[in-house]
Amino acid sequence: MATTNATPNTVAAAGATGTTTVVDPVVAKIAGIAAREVPGVFDLGGGAARVVGNIRDAIGQRDRGQGIKVEVGEKQVAADVTIVVEYPEQLQVVAENVRHAVARAITELVGMEVAEINVTVTDVHIPGDDDDEAEESRVA
């Protein structure tokens, strides 16, 4: 869904009128960028989304909206954010910081009210416990 807002009066006063439409993927990208900037956030998205995200990163096409689902109305935005938190960060603190960062980005950059932001922590990243490290070969 997209939202349509009338242009500010300053533009209308200059003789230009029209509407501005902000589509869901743009809002999701802004929310994703804001969430990634929060200290303690290792990654966004659940397991499958992160696997696809790693493939996209490898070919240079990072999805900045990964792990973000938004609903954009006429005046409000609701967002669901899925994160992976670095160990030993406090999960509730990181989630609350993500909620504030995403709300601020949507309000300031998109210019819409935030109805709600739900944060789901799907995993904890333990440094040195990466799945992509090669296992020692059992044969020569």
Side-chain angles (χ1 to χ4, degrees), residues 74-120:
E74 289 184 31
K75 297 179 183 178
Q76 293 184 328
V77 174
D80 296 320
V81 182
T82 304
I83 62 173
V84 177
V85 177
E86 289 275 2
Y87 180 84
E89 297 291 332
Q90 295 178 350
L91 304 182
Q92 293 297 333
V93 171
V94 174
E96 191 63 27
N97 291 341
V98 166
R99 188 174 288 108
H100 288 300
V102 170
R104 184 176 52 251
I106 290 171
T107 301
E108 292 176 4
L109 300 177
V110 181
M112 297 183 74
E113 296 175 23
V114 175
E116 68 179 8
I117 298 174
N118 300 308
V119 179
T120 302

Side-chain angles (χ1 to χ4, degrees), residues 4 26 30-31 37-38 44 60 63-64 69 73-75 82 88 95 98 103 112 119 123 129 136:
T4 304
V26 172
I30 289 169
E37 292 176 349
V38 173
L44 298 180
D63 179 9
R64 302 219 185 267
K69 180 183 175 205
E74 289 184 31
K75 297 179 183 178
T82 304
V98 166
M112 297 183 74
V119 179
D123 201 358
D129 195 23
E136 187 175 317

Side-chain angles (χ1 to χ4, degrees), residues 130-137:
D130 295 331
D131 294 335
D132 58 354
E133 293 179 6
E135 291 184 21
E136 187 175 317
S137 176

Side-chain angles (χ1 to χ4, degrees), residues 38-87:
V38 173
V41 172
F42 175 74
D43 204 357
L44 298 180
R50 291 196 339 255
V51 169
V52 172
N54 289 337
I55 294 169
R56 292 185 72 152
D57 285 350
I59 60 173
Q61 295 181 350
R62 181 172 221 176
D63 179 9
R64 302 219 185 267
Q66 171 185 309
I68 309 290
K69 180 183 175 205
V70 297
E71 293 179 44
V72 180
E74 289 184 31
K75 297 179 183 178
Q76 293 184 328
V77 174
D80 296 320
V81 182
T82 304
I83 62 173
V84 177
V85 177
E86 289 275 2
Y87 180 84

